[in-house]
């Protein structure tokens, strides 16, 4: 498996490369199962070639340990899923879950999303993009590292089918407010919330252990669900 560190270095990144400890099981999963589930970044993604069918295609950026991604794939066997993550322990954890559950409808990019999206995903390929609990970079001087900005929205809009969904969830209120303002001002996306604000957590997004722990501590969670405007400029 080619790791993100082998890629050319780009500008400001939206993540810190954490040196989490790989368990022996995760290391074996990376060695044994990456050839089955991990995709190369030097080849344009072909949904039919990868999954052997034409089906709704969902992308999760920054899947962490893959708990949510695996659950969604198990609950939606009629859909195909791509996950992007840079941290080997989380990738290994997901690969173990995929192998254990024999889930055929998930593939993984072990790279930075901002390298994967422009390079390998054709335009108008995705039915939905999920960004669940991205790093909020709470200090103001670090806001430039946040994943969700105007350039990211323009890139995602090009990869989504017209009417495709962008679903972001965060437990950081200031980040939620910032993203809501950015998305509501964008001509590329339309808010699915009737009041132009946040949405209730939909049934398809499972609650994670991280999320439940935060809620027990009194933390809020905000879901933003927007659709790519069919009238947006660019490919349609």
């Amino acid at each position: 498996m080619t790791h993100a560190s082998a890629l050319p270095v780009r500008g400001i990144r939206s993540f810190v490369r954490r040196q989490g400890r790989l368990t022996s099981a995760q290391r074996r999963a990376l060695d044994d199962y990456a050839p089955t589930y991990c995709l190369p970044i030097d080849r344009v993604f072909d949904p039919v070639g990868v999954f052997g069918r034409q089906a709704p295609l969902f992308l999760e950026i920054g899947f962490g340990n893959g708990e949510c991604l695996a659950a969604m794939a198990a609950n939606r066997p009629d859909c195909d899923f791509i996950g992007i993550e840079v941290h080997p322990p989380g990738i290994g954890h997901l690969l173990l879950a995929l192998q254990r559950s024999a889930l055929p409808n998930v593939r993984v990019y072990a790279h930075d999303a901002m390298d994967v999206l422009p390079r390998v995903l054709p335009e108008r390929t995705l039915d939905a993009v999920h960004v669940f609990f991205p790093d909020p970079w709470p200090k103001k001087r670090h806001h430039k590292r946040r994943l969700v900005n105007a350039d990211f929205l323009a890139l995602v809009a090009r990869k989504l089918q017209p009417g495709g969904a962008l679903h972001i969830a965060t437990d950081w209120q200031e980040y939620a407010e910032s993203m809501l303002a950015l998305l509501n001002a964008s001509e590329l996306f339309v808010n699915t919330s009737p009041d132009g604000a946040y949405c209730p957590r939909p049934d398809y997004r499972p609650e994670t252990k991280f999320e439940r722990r935060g809620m027990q501590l009194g933390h809020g969670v905000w879901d933003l669900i927007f659709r790519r405007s069919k009238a947006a400029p660019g490919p349609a």
Side-chain angles (χ1 to χ4, degrees), residues 100-177:
R100 188 181 303 119
S101 302
L103 289 174
N105 58 334
V106 181
R107 293 296 185 273
V108 173
Y109 282 103
H111 300 282
D112 179 4
M114 297 306 289
D115 290 317
V116 174
L117 285 171
R119 281 197 199 184
V120 302
L121 291 181
E123 297 188 348
R124 303 185 299 276
T125 298
L126 301 171
D127 290 88
V129 173
H130 300 151
V131 187
F132 298 150
F133 304 98
D135 194 327
W137 292 102
K139 295 181 180 178
K140 189 172 182 178
R141 69 177 183 272
H142 292 155
H143 285 186
K144 61 182 178 291
R145 293 184 176 274
R146 288 177 168 177
L147 175 67
V148 181
N149 56 34
D151 290 340
F152 174 77
L153 296 184
L155 180 58
V156 167
R158 295 202 303 271
K159 305 305 176 178
L160 282 170
Q161 299 273 4
L166 171 60
H167 181 180
I168 306 172
T170 182
D171 62 340
W172 196 265
Q173 184 173 1
E174 184 274 329
Y175 197 11
E177 293 170 351

Side-chain angles (χ1 to χ4, degrees), residues 64-78:
N65 69 5
E67 174 187 358
C68 188
L69 180 57
M72 289 191 296
N75 291 335
R76 295 292 305 273
D78 57 320

Side-chain angles (χ1 to χ4, degrees), residues 34-96:
T36 299
Y37 296 107
C38 291
L39 298 174
I41 200 171
D42 59 354
R43 192 178 308 155
V44 174
F45 176 76
D46 172 20
V48 175
V50 170
F51 292 108
R53 64 179 182 177
Q54 192 75 49
L57 183 62
F58 299 83
L59 168 67
E60 183 176 353
I61 296 175
F63 58 72
N65 69 5
E67 174 187 358
C68 188
L69 180 57
M72 289 191 296
N75 291 335
R76 295 292 305 273
D78 57 320
C79 299
D80 293 326
F81 293 82
I82 305 169
I84 299 178
E85 180 56 67
V86 297
H87 300 296
I91 298 167
H93 190 277
L94 174 63
L95 297 187
L96 283 172

Side-chain angles (χ1 to χ4, degrees), residues 180 184 191-199 223-226:
L180 181 65
N184 276 338
N191 198 336
T192 66
S193 172
D195 62 1
Y198 307 104
C199 295
D223 283 78
L224 301 87
I225 306 177
F226 282 71

Side-chain angles (χ1 to χ4, degrees), residues 218-235:
H219 299 175
V221 175
W222 294 266
D223 283 78
L224 301 87
I225 306 177
F226 282 71
R227 293 205 173 273
R228 191 229 199 255
S229 172
K230 295 181 181 179

